[in-house]
Amino acid sequence: MTLELILFVAAILFGIVLYWRESNGNQLYRFFNKLMYSKDLQMKETDTKGFVYQQSFVLRLVFITSLFLIGIIVAQFLLPINVTTISLFMSMIVGTIVGTYVAGFIFKSGKIIDEHSDSLGDIVKETIDKGKDLIEELKAEKQEEKVVEEKKDAAPKEEQKSARERLKDKGLL
C-alpha cells in the first residue's frame, strides 16, 4: 500500500509536469501528427493541442495508458524482479490524469486572476466601503434607540390608583 501511495503522488506530480510541458510546446504531438496525416489534414501552426493539453478525457486516458503500457513493458525486460502489478499500473494512470486536471485548474485560475487583477482591487475597495457604511448605519440606529429609550424614561408616568383604591371605587371594599 505504501508503494502505491508514493507512486500515486509521484504520478500526480508527473501529470502536472506533463500538462505544463505540453502547454508550453507540443513538438512531439506535431511530429506524430505530421507522420500520421497528409499535408491537408495536418494541424495548423497556431494549434496548441497536445497529447494531454486541450484533449478530452477519453483521449487523455488512451494516451496516458499507452504511455504507461510502454513503460511497463520496458520495465519488465530491464528489471530482474516483477514490480509491475495492475494496482501500481492503475494508481499511476489515475494519478497522472488527476495531475493533468489539477494543472489545468491551476493554469485556468491563474489566467482568470491575471485578467481580473485590476478589477479585484476595485471590488475589495468597494466591499470595504460598503462595510464601513453598514457599521456607521448600525451605530446610528443604536444611538436612535438610546434616544427613544431615554425619552420613554423621561416621560412622566401617570399616577395609577392602587388596587385597593380601585376596589373602593367599585364599591367592593
Side-chain angles (χ1 to χ4, degrees):
M1 183 67 185
T2 305
L3 183 61
E4 288 177 11
L5 189 60
I6 291 170
L7 282 177
F8 181 74
V9 172
I12 290 174
L13 294 174
F14 175 70
I16 292 171
V17 169
L18 185 66
Y19 190 89
W20 172 74
R21 185 75 184 104
E22 278 202 352
S23 69
N24 289 335
N26 57 356
Q27 289 84 14
L28 187 64
Y29 189 79
R30 284 186 186 280
F31 173 73
F32 280 110
N33 188 283
K34 286 181 182 179
L35 282 178
M36 302 291 178
Y37 298 109
S38 67
K39 188 109 176 150
D40 297 334
L41 297 175
Q42 289 177 4
M43 60 192 291
K44 296 180 176 94
E45 292 296 323
T46 58
D47 197 4
T48 58
K49 186 183 283 189
F51 288 110
V52 206
Y53 186 68
Q54 293 182 345
Q55 287 288 359
S56 65
F57 173 74
V58 175
L59 286 176
R60 280 187 194 190
L61 182 66
V62 167
F63 289 136
I64 290 172
T65 304
S66 60
L67 174 72
F68 280 112
L69 269 175
I70 292 169
I72 284 179
I73 290 172
V74 169
Q76 282 284 0
F77 289 114
L78 293 180
L79 297 176
I81 55 174
N82 188 8
V83 180
T84 57
T85 62
I86 291 177
S87 63
L88 295 177
F89 179 66
M90 291 306 296
S91 68
M92 289 187 298
I93 290 173
V94 170
T96 305
I97 289 176
V98 167
T100 60
Y101 280 102
V102 167
F105 174 73
I106 291 170
F107 288 146
K108 285 182 184 177
S109 64
K111 287 179 184 176
I112 291 171
I113 289 172
D114 287 342
E115 289 173 2
H116 298 290
S117 63
D118 297 334
S119 63
L120 285 177
D122 296 335
I123 291 171
V124 170
K125 272 186 184 175
E126 290 174 10
T127 306
I128 291 172
D129 292 339
K130 287 180 183 177
K132 288 179 181 178
D133 293 341
L134 180 67
I135 290 172
E136 290 174 4
E137 288 175 10
L138 291 175
K139 285 181 181 178
E141 286 178 10
K142 201 176 246 188
Q143 289 176 353
E144 289 174 5
E145 288 176 3
K146 285 181 181 178
V147 169
V148 170
E149 286 178 11
E150 289 174 1
K151 286 182 181 178
K152 286 182 182 178
D153 291 339
K157 293 185 179 178
E158 296 178 13
E159 291 190 26
Q160 297 179 352
K161 295 181 179 179
S162 66
R164 176 171 283 234
E165 292 174 355
R166 285 189 306 241
L167 287 174
K168 280 184 183 178
D169 289 344
K170 290 183 181 178
L172 297 173
L173 262 180

